[in-house]
């Protein structure tokens, strides 16, 4: 362990094993599972997408999470400092740059959607204005997102909460809170899954999600599934490396990586089981895009007893799940600014907040006044999402895995991945991870890029 590291100096370690899991799972589980997964699956053929996605979680996701953990914990530095410490010159250190860029861009559009959860929370109180028709929810979504001040207020409110939490260093408090909140979210999701199974469209919804039509797999679908894997697991932009720089030496990396990946995937699948039966019951298009769950969820709440209460609870939980994710995104650039520019945490947060707010305002307005401005056919909101998920994060992941697989001293890698107290031979799964990092992961990502983008 590196004892002169900024983390050691400020004694900023996660104190317990549960704290580590809560933080990494808290980062992974968020809007990516409940908002983005259903709409990406809806856009890309349902079950076919799900199968490719699960393949990527296992073949790419878990190994790259391990690689990020190794980089973070062996150096205990921010993402740029970590690559420097490991003598990773160009091009190996590219993920430092792409990771920082991604952390700003992702905050820009993620906080807009997190702002939607605030608005829908507010709407829950009024029972969505007393409407009873799904079709009206479509207009309601438009009326909200296309009114600049409404969407700006919600986005800025979310950012305010996010940066307050971070600047006051109450991240730990939030994590304690999320120890209760995450299981609660899963319980609520389960309850809604059961409810959905009794809807008239249940059969159609489940077969959309689970019985694959493999002819639907196109290079574009594969690229989207890979993007979703990186996005949902928070991997490829240094978030997990930054968190691992706060792990202590006893944290078992491979186990933490697997628990994170499995829990994240379960939550996404639950979200799918909740959403798709309702999609078919209420006659909503699965290809509705980013608005999908914001039409489906209220449709469900409108039809159940005590709907307003369920709806309030659900959007509070979704808001909290978004917050634990944005806290982790922001930590990439905050720890970079603190350690590389030698600023205090408070100042680093201010710099961060300024950059992110500008981007978020542009994203929020790209549903209204800026909706006519398109780059490569995409609004700024869509472009940020596409760039981060489908390009920057996988690119970062490709270099991270190739670096750890090919360049990092094998001794360091084995020591980091071997759980403490495991004195016998190196566990067999380590060779599997190394193999994947050297060959499977970089080659897979490279091929998906070639076919998906050209
Ligand atoms: N994984 C988070 C989610 O699913 C999003 C995220 C991406 C968080 C990148 C941190 C870094 O919502």
């Amino acid at each position: 362990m590196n004892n002169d590291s900024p983390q050691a100096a400020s004694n900023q370690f996660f104190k317990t094993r549960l704290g580590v899991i809560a933080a990494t799972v808290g980062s992974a589980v968020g809007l990516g599972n409940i908002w983005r997964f259903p709409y990406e699956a809806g856009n890309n053929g349902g079950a076919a997408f799900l199968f490719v996605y699960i393949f990527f979680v296992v073949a790419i996701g878990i190994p790259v999470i391990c690689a990020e953990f190794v980089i973070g914990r062996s150096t205990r530095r921010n993402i740029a400092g970590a690559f420097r410490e490991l003598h990773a010159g160009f091009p190996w250190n590219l993920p430092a740059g792409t990771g920082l860029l991604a952390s700003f861009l992702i905050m820009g559009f993620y906080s807009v959607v997190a702002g939607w959860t605030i608005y829908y929370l507010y709407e829950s109180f009024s029972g969505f204005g007393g409407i009873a028709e799904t079709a009206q929810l479509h207009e309601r979504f438009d009326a909200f997102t296309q009114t600049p001040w409404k969407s700006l207020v919600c986005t800025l409110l979310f950012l305010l909460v996010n940066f307050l939490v971070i600047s006051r260093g109450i991240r730990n408090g939030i994590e304690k809170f999320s120890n209760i909140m995450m299981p609660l979210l899963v319980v609520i999701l389960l309850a809604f899954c059961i409810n959905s199974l009794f809807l008239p469209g249940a059969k159609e919804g489940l077969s959309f999600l689970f019985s694959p039509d493999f002819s639907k797999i196109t290079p574009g679908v594969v690229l989207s599934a890979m993007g979703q894997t990186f996005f949902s697991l928070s991997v490829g932009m240094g978030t997990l490396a930054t968190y691992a720089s706060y792990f202590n030496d006893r944290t078992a990396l491979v186990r933490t990586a697997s628990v994170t990946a499995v829990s994240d995937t379960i939550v996404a699948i639950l979200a799918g089981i909740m959403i798709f039966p309702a999609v078919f019951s209420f006659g909503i298009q699965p290809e509705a895009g980013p608005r999908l769950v914001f039409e489906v969820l209220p449709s469900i709440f409108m039809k159940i007893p005590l709907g307003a209460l369920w709806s309030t609870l659900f959007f509070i939980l979704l808001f909290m799940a978004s917050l634990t994710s944005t806290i982790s995104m922001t930590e990439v650039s905050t720890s970079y600014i603190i350690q590389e520019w030698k600023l205090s945490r408070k100042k680093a947060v201010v710099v961060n907040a300024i950059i992110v707010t500008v981007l978020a305002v542009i994203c929020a307005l790209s549903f209204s006044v800026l909706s006519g401005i398109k780059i490569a056919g995409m609004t700024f909101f869509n472009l940020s999402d596409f760039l981060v998920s489908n390009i920057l994060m996988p690119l970062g992941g490709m270099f991270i895995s190739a670096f750890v697989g090919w360049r990092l001293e094998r001794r360091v890698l084995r020591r980091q991945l071997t759980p403490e107290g495991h004195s016998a031979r190196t566990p067999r799964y380590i060779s599997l991870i190394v193999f994947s990092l050297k060959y499977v992961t970089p080659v897979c990502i490279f091929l998906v890029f070639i076919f998906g983008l050209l």
Side-chain angles (χ1 to χ4, degrees), residues 27-33 106 110 230-235 237 239 264 321 325-326 328-329 393:
S27 167
V29 172
L31 294 170
N33 309 63
I106 198 172
Y110 201 95
F230 279 90
F231 186 92
S232 195
L233 295 177
S234 312
V235 72
M237 58 175 250
T239 310
D264 187 71
S325 296
T326 53
S328 73
M329 292 168 196
M393 295 180 84

Side-chain angles (χ1 to χ4, degrees), residues 76-100:
R76 301 209 182 283
R77 297 193 183 266
N78 72 84
I79 185 71
F83 278 106
R84 186 161 8 91
E85 175 122 347
L86 294 171
H87 305 290
F90 186 81
W92 303 109
N93 58 3
L94 259 175
T98 53
L100 282 165

Side-chain angles (χ1 to χ4, degrees), residues 410-421:
R410 195 48 48 86
R411 193 172 46 86
V412 176
L413 181 60
R414 286 199 191 282
R415 185 158 30 102
Q416 289 292 334
L417 292 183
T418 309
E420 203 169 69

